[in-house]
Amino acid sequence: AQSVSQHNHHVILSEAASLELGCNYSYGGTVNLFWYVQYPGQHLQLLLKYFSGDPLVKGIKGFEAEFIKSKFSFNLRKPSVQWSDTAEYFCAGGRGYSTLTFGKGTMLLVSP
Amino acid sequence: NAGVTQTPKFQVLKTGQSMTLQCAQDMNHEYMSWYRQDPGMGLRLIHYSVGAGITDQGEVPNGYNVSRSTTEDFPLRLLSAAPSQTSVYFCASSSAGGRNGYTFGSGTRLTVV
């Protein structure tokens, strides 16, 4: 069965620290991968997506992710976090766009 | 564009009551889905639809019904509410090409007492 797993449930960082959130998937064949962000009390917003091509994907708000097929990974990175990045981050995967399977989320708290 | 609109935003039900969560999108998207979000569980797929008249079950379909009579609307029905259905429900839509990912509604927070 297809699945998406996120390594950390909670991450606490100070402002200006670098961020890397882990995501692994267990799909065979072609997979489409996404990172979503959910700010407190809000709905999910798309940060970035990977379908094919360049494995380094750049998204909004300075986030990027790297698709490493050999490791079945799609880790999210940001060189320098801000207090406003405090949110929950979800990795998701799918095939054929009809449905997405989500990881359980990583809650990021950035202290000023 | 309104995007994906969910109503109501908050609802309290008594055990055994039924209700319908509404979802409408104005982007002419073919694909629509319902997810529930519970702490520590991420989002789990309840039902989905790939077009008008076509629906299918997701990971956690029990206790829920859906129908898709039009492209725009995808209501979720709770047949007989149970405390285990206390959750935040999100509706999402995507074009069949899906290259922009899913667009999510603002959610319905449901409490069953």
Side-chain angles (χ1 to χ4, degrees), chain B residues 13-112:
Chain B
L13 288 178
K14 294 182 179 179
T15 298
Q17 286 184 317
S18 63
M19 79 159 295
T20 299
L21 278 62
Q22 300 293 342
C23 175
Q25 52 92 7
D26 61 358
M27 298 170 284
N28 203 31
H29 283 171
E30 293 89 344
Y31 291 3
M32 296 187 74
S33 301
W34 276 102
Y35 291 87
R36 60 176 289 174
Q37 182 180 25
D38 303 290
M41 301 293 290
L43 279 82
R44 293 180 292 169
L45 181 66
I46 304 171
H47 285 285
Y48 67 99
S49 168
V50 299
I54 306 169
T55 63
D56 206 345
Q57 297 180 350
E59 180 185 356
V60 289
N62 291 342
Y64 307 95
N65 270 356
V66 292
S67 60
R68 184 96 180 269
S69 56
T70 66
T71 299
E72 295 78 19
D73 300 299
F74 192 44
L76 177 72
R77 280 181 284 276
L78 279 69
L79 309 173
S80 177
S84 61
Q85 293 178 304
T86 293
S87 186
V88 180
Y89 292 84
F90 287 100
C91 179
S93 73
S94 172
S95 62
R99 302 200 75 82
N100 290 324
Y102 266 87
T103 300
F104 281 81
S106 57
T108 295
R109 184 173 294 274
L110 175 68
T111 302
V112 183

Side-chain angles (χ1 to χ4, degrees), chain A residues 36 38 43 46 49 97-98 100, chain B residues 31 35 37 97 99 102 105:
Chain A
Y36 283 85
Q38 186 179 31
H43 61 283
L46 182 65
K49 58 187 184 288
Y97 314 116
S98 61
L100 291 179
Chain B
Y31 291 3
Y35 291 87
Q37 182 180 25
R99 302 200 75 82
Y102 266 87

